[in-house]
Amino acid sequence: MGLRAGQGVLRRKPIDHIEEPEGAAGQQLTRVLGLWQLTAIGVGGIIGAGIFTLAGTVANGKAGPAVLISFLIAGIASAAAAFSYAEFAGLIPKAGSAYTYGYAVLGELAGWFIGWDLLLEYTAIVAVVAIGISGYFGFLLGEAGLDLPAWMLGAPGTGPSHRVDLFAAVLCLLIAYLLTLGIKNAARFETIVVGLKVLVVIVVIAVGFFHINTANYEPFFPFGVSGAFTGAATVFFAVFGYDAMSTAAEESKDAQRHMPKAIMYSLAISMVLYVLACLVLTGMQDYKSIDPESGFSTAFKSVGLSGLADVIAVGAIIGILTVMFTFMLGVTRVWFSMSRDGLLPKWFAKTSAKHHVPTRVTWIVGVASAAIAGFLPIGEAAELTNIGILLAFVVVCVAVIVLRYKRPELPRSFRVPGMPVVPAIGVCFSLWLITFLEWQTWVRFVVWFLVGLVIYFTYSRRRSNLARAERESAGGKSGEARP
């Protein structure tokens, strides 16, 4: 007998056996990442778009010098959620992050909802960051006096004769290729590049500090206080790279100890650098003159430091690659985990025999993000992000409260302090920031959500591993009952 409508949507993955091997041959990941490699992946996902791209975009059009407040608000909300992620990462060290946590605590439909949403959100973030890198690439070309054909320099509508942002699209494909080479090789590259990126940010802060004009901080709230909150909702995805990093828990050598530490270390390092960088950017140049796409390069050029501006542009291109790496890693691991659980076709969960990574989904995500980066302006691409991440934060914060009180005996290598106040703050901040998003974001989210519901109730609900286990169990009991 088939499953009745609604039956099974609350079934949960058993936490008690979460460490048992999952998946058949060809559906396994390898544990090779250490603490500092994980931290580097987290920092790589957090620092990049926020400093090199979004800081200028938000300062110029939404918040002015109060972009500093935007990052602080987003950081507080992110920190409250980070504690919840850290507790889950130590308790459930499996691929999938928020998807897996939601599935284990709140049930299959909640897990599907978050996982399906993250597939779009993470892919769009990869595209947004690629477009941001392309802006710095254009800056360097202009400085070198090179004149490439206009058709390849931006998405339609972003400039005269623009047809495709070719550089951004190619970058997405290159990151996909890097991830197919195996997590150990890819993580080694990520660690080196993150070190270079942090060095560039420190140089920017140190040199820029001596060129601050405090008059540029007036007015501090040119768009009103609401502008700072609107800016916070926009930059939010720049302060939660640890979320994507936590999807690699199944590839960590000691996930229960290292994942919580890596989450907290990466967020702390990144927020300090964000605050200092925003002070320098808005202090060096009037917010109305900040270039939305290559803010720091143009700011240094405005004070006569063109040479350093070129170095920053190069550093931005290299450094923002790590953001693309972290989020493409995240979306492929969420997709892999959902497919291995049977919620999506298991064909997607097939891993490379040589490198033990989900090559199929990696290339699909690479092509999809390349298409978004190539043909959508950065503003429209950015609207595809944020709302799903904020809702994922809500789910994780609620789930950590529920599990703490339902299963207090479970061994936790990290415990959220101030329970339940801290995760509740994460819930409230996330819901509050959602209200500042544009209505177009809601429309896209609802459409994607409805498509997901159709797929879940027509395919996933009946084909998930837990659904099959239920049918096998029911069939066994029925057979035993026969005379």
Side-chain angles (χ1 to χ4, degrees):
M1 183 171 59
L3 292 171
R4 295 189 300 272
Q7 180 182 351
V9 299
L10 296 180
R11 55 187 167 227
R12 299 184 297 273
K13 296 184 71 172
I15 296 177
D16 307 79
H17 306 294
I18 204 74
E19 276 287 10
E20 292 183 1
E22 292 188 32
Q27 296 179 353
Q28 296 293 328
L29 303 175
T30 56
R31 295 187 179 274
V32 297
L33 302 177
L35 173 60
W36 294 110
Q37 286 177 309
L38 290 169
T39 302
I41 293 174
V43 171
I46 300 172
I47 295 179
I51 286 181
F52 294 113
T53 303
L54 282 184
T57 301
V58 173
N60 178 266
K62 295 181 184 295
V67 64
L68 167 64
I69 305 300
S70 298
F71 274 101
L72 285 174
I73 293 170
I76 292 172
S78 186
F83 283 117
S84 300
Y85 272 92
E87 179 164 322
F88 271 125
L91 180 63
I92 307 176
K94 303 296 287 184
S97 187
Y99 153 73
T100 300
Y101 308 154
Y103 199 169
V105 180
L106 301 179
E108 187 171 275
L109 185 58
W112 164 266
F113 169 73
I114 291 303
W116 176 251
D117 205 28
L118 290 180
L119 295 183
L120 175 65
E121 305 282 323
Y122 283 175
T123 302
I125 288 173
V126 172
V128 170
V129 174
I131 298 170
I133 299 177
S134 183
Y136 279 93
F137 182 66
F139 174 87
L140 283 177
L141 290 178
E143 289 295 290
L146 297 178
D147 187 18
L148 294 179
W151 64 266
M152 61 181 290
L153 297 179
T158 60
S161 302
H162 285 184
R163 293 292 180 268
V164 60
D165 193 329
L166 187 61
F167 185 70
V170 170
L171 274 179
C172 293
L173 297 176
L174 286 175
I175 295 298
Y177 171 72
L178 175 64
L179 284 170
T180 64
L181 298 180
I183 190 63
K184 187 174 183 178
N185 293 328
R188 185 181 296 117
F189 166 83
E190 173 85 344
T191 301
I192 294 171
V193 177
V194 166
L196 293 174
K197 176 168 64 174
V198 171
L199 180 61
V200 170
V201 174
I202 292 173
V203 170
V204 166
I205 294 170
V207 176
F209 179 80
F210 295 100
H211 295 275
I212 290 176
N213 179 1
T214 55
N216 289 328
Y217 294 133
E218 297 294 337
F220 192 74
F221 291 99
F223 299 92
V225 175
S226 64
F229 286 109
T230 302
T234 303
V235 305
F236 191 79
F237 87 77
V239 295
F240 64 80
Y242 60 81
D243 170 67
M245 176 266 286
S246 67
T247 65
E250 206 167 320
E251 291 159 286
S252 169
K253 287 185 288 189
D254 190 354
Q256 289 180 308
R257 287 198 310 115
H258 290 165
M259 287 301 300
K261 291 180 180 179
I263 288 172
M264 304 315 299
Y265 290 169
S266 60
L267 182 60
I269 292 169
S270 301
M271 286 310 302
V272 169
L273 295 177
Y274 269 139
V275 169
L276 295 176
C278 286
L279 281 172
V280 168
L281 176 64
T282 55
M284 289 180 65
Q285 192 173 27
D286 182 85
Y287 75 91
K288 295 187 293 292
S289 302
I290 294 174
D291 189 308
E293 292 189 345
S294 53
F296 277 100
S297 290
T298 53
F300 275 89
K301 187 176 180 180
S302 72
V303 296
L305 297 175
S306 298
L308 186 57
D310 294 341
V311 172
I312 292 170
V314 173
I317 291 173
I318 296 174
I320 299 178
L321 285 173
T322 65
V323 181
M324 297 177 65
F325 174 95
T326 299
F327 283 99
M328 192 175 289
L329 171 70
V331 66
T332 57
R333 274 30 178 196
V334 170
W335 196 336
F336 164 81
S337 188
M338 293 178 71
S339 299
R340 189 174 60 181
D341 290 338
L343 295 176
L344 290 172
K346 288 184 178 292
W347 182 86
F348 295 118
K350 178 69 175 178
T351 56
S352 163
K354 180 178 181 180
H355 298 297
H356 304 288
V357 293
T359 308
R360 293 171 177 175
V361 297
T362 300
W363 279 119
I364 293 172
V365 170
V367 171
S369 58
I372 296 172
F375 297 102
L376 285 182
I378 190 169
E380 292 184 24
E383 287 174 358
L384 296 173
T385 67
N386 294 330
I387 187 169
I389 306 300
L390 288 166
L391 290 174
F393 274 37
V394 171
V395 167
V396 172
C397 290
V398 169
V400 80
I401 296 173
V402 171
L403 193 62
R404 180 73 72 86
Y405 288 100
K406 288 184 65 176
R407 299 293 304 277
E409 81 286 357
L410 290 173
R412 293 167 168 85
S413 60
F414 177 88
R415 300 175 72 88
V416 176
M419 178 68 76
V421 176
V422 170
I425 290 173
V427 171
C428 293
F429 263 105
S430 298
L431 292 175
W432 189 23
L433 289 174
I434 285 175
T435 65
F436 288 90
L437 297 174
E438 303 290 341
W439 66 269
Q440 294 93 335
T441 303
W442 281 96
V443 172
R444 291 182 175 91
F445 168 75
V446 170
V447 171
W448 184 251
F449 174 67
L450 291 176
V451 171
L453 283 181
V454 171
I455 294 174
Y456 176 77
F457 283 105
T458 58
Y459 178 90
S460 308
R461 182 172 60 89
R462 295 175 179 271
R463 295 174 180 264
S464 73
N465 293 348
L466 294 185
R468 291 175 179 176
E470 284 182 354
R471 288 195 296 271
E472 291 173 1
S473 176
K477 292 179 180 178
S478 176
E480 291 173 4
R482 292 193 185 102

